[in-house]
Amino acid sequence: MGILPLPIIDIGGLRSPDALAQIQVAEQLRKACEQRGFFYITGHGMDPALMEQALIASQRFFKLPMADKLAVDKKLSRCNRGYEPLRAQTLEHGAPPDLKESFYLGAELAASDSRVQASRFNTGPNQWPSGLRGFRRTMLDYYRAAYELGVCLVRGLALSLQLPANHFDGYLQDATATLRLLHYPPQPANPQPGEKGCGEHTDFGGLTLLLQDQTGGLQVWDKSSRSWTDAPPLPSALIVNIGDLFARWTNDRYVSTLHRVINTSGTERHSIPFFFTGNPLHRVECLPTCLNEGEQPRYPALTVEQHQMACYQRTYG
């Protein structure tokens, strides 16, 4: 069997007052989530100018001197915010560390916020580099736009699972999310065995919205052909993929698919994934529409926060 291309879904109908238009999009989401777990979205409503500004701002950050980047090192943050150097993370078990550097940010919360005071995982003040005019504003604008889009998609996923659109509202209340800026240098001419920009992995959370530049390098595992397929950038489109949390929630009906990055372009690659995580205290247990008669849940119930902490422990030790 040949490699199936990633679906392209116009999600504009999710914002329509017409229930039929919403259901038509939801049905496409269902098929994509069951078959591939990865798909492109168009009609998402995100401003193309903002998408371009976010990529440019990210490029400017990674061009800073190392001393400036290390001034906002993630090690200085109690909530995983800030800069992470090359080879700091190993996503593929048994492979060398990933050949990428990154910058993490989230919702702009003060240290006095009750969620910060309660030490919610991955929740707290951002760190911001000095000397990058407009960087903070651009990133927070992009974060808000991606967050709104994430909420829209989660409600679409509810419809796709034959649930009311508001079924996940508890999960969406005070939802956490992480925006990660990524910079991949070119793949070395003589890499270590198994060395990649980003080792094969599945994402931790509910869903991921990916903005990538024109370089390419993302590859998605095709289960039917047991091979890797490229997921190149498409103009104005974003890539969405289901994470481990939603796979667990749906009893693996919706698949969290392996993917990796190998930057053989000979030039630098930049991408910006937005990881929609959800309400840390929300309880996740198998959805009633994802159990056939006589079938049992594959996973015990747990909170979003418990799931995230276990996933981080696996890749950061």
Side-chain angles (χ1 to χ4, degrees):
M1 183 180 295
I3 295 174
L4 297 174
L6 296 185
I8 303 173
I9 304 175
D10 183 342
I11 65 164
L14 292 179
R15 297 190 181 88
S16 171
D18 182 357
L20 179 58
Q22 297 177 29
I23 293 299
Q24 287 174 338
V25 176
E27 178 60 15
Q28 294 179 70
L29 292 174
R30 181 192 64 77
K31 290 179 180 178
C33 293
E34 288 181 347
Q35 295 172 2
R36 298 303 302 275
F38 261 83
F39 49 95
Y40 294 92
I41 59 169
T42 61
H44 46 68
M46 189 174 287
D47 183 359
L50 178 59
M51 295 163 66
E52 182 66 19
Q53 289 165 12
L55 283 170
I56 292 172
S58 177
Q59 292 166 9
R60 290 174 57 217
F61 171 78
F62 289 114
K63 289 184 184 298
L64 288 174
M66 182 56 69
D68 292 350
K69 290 187 286 189
L70 289 177
V72 289
D73 195 311
K74 189 162 72 77
K75 293 178 180 178
L76 303 174
S77 169
R78 297 177 59 187
C79 55
N80 295 310
R81 298 282 186 261
Y83 174 67
E84 184 177 77
L86 285 170
R87 300 184 173 91
Q89 186 181 39
T90 305
L91 283 170
E92 181 176 338
H93 180 70
D98 294 346
L99 191 61
K100 67 180 190 292
E101 58 179 339
S102 62
F103 182 82
Y104 289 87
L105 63 99
E108 187 78 324
L109 299 177
S112 59
D113 187 281
S114 60
R115 291 163 291 182
V116 181
Q117 291 292 308
S119 299
R120 296 272 68 88
F121 184 64
N122 268 5
T123 302
N126 290 309
Q127 297 193 85
W128 297 105
S130 60
L132 279 184
R133 184 177 180 182
F135 178 83
R136 177 173 178 166
R137 183 174 195 175
T138 296
M139 290 306 157
L140 290 178
D141 285 348
Y142 186 85
Y143 179 95
R144 283 189 288 268
Y147 190 98
E148 291 175 6
L149 179 55
V151 169
C152 178
L153 281 166
V154 168
R155 288 179 174 152
L157 290 178
L159 293 174
S160 78
L161 291 160
Q162 298 180 306
L163 297 165
N166 65 356
H167 180 84
F168 292 121
D169 279 5
Y171 168 74
L172 294 172
Q173 182 179 0
D174 292 330
T176 60
T178 299
L179 190 65
R180 188 178 189 185
L181 314 182
L182 287 166
H183 168 234
Y184 299 87
Q187 186 81 358
N190 297 298
Q192 299 179 50
E195 186 175 37
K196 307 175 189 71
C198 181
E200 61 181 66
H201 67 286
T202 57
D203 287 348
F204 303 156
L207 54 85
T208 303
L209 285 67
L210 177 68
L211 171 64
Q212 53 180 341
D213 67 11
Q214 297 304 305
T215 305
L218 174 64
Q219 296 182 330
V220 178
W221 181 248
D222 183 73
K223 188 176 180 179
S224 61
S225 65
R226 300 192 60 79
S227 61
W228 294 98
T229 181
D230 292 331
L234 297 181
S236 300
L238 296 168
I239 289 180
V240 176
N241 65 278
I242 296 298
D244 296 344
L245 184 69
F246 252 101
R248 181 187 188 109
W249 218 340
T250 61
N251 222 31
D252 289 331
R253 178 172 294 184
Y254 283 8
V255 293
S256 182
T257 303
L258 284 170
H259 52 288
R260 66 186 188 183
V261 173
I262 302 179
N263 182 17
T264 58
S265 66
T267 188
E268 298 176 339
R269 178 184 191 267
H270 294 84
S271 67
I272 304 179
F274 177 84
F275 303 105
F276 197 97
T277 305
N279 179 347
L281 301 181
H282 191 74
R283 182 179 170 89
V284 174
E285 54 188 330
C286 184
L287 295 165
T289 56
C290 295
L291 274 181
N292 296 323
E293 187 175 352
E295 190 177 13
Q296 296 297 315
R298 298 181 180 184
Y299 308 100
L302 81 178
T303 66
V304 170
E305 185 173 64
Q306 289 170 335
H307 171 79
Q308 288 294 109
M309 291 175 71
C311 290
Y312 267 73
Q313 183 66 28
R314 287 202 306 267
T315 62
Y316 286 107

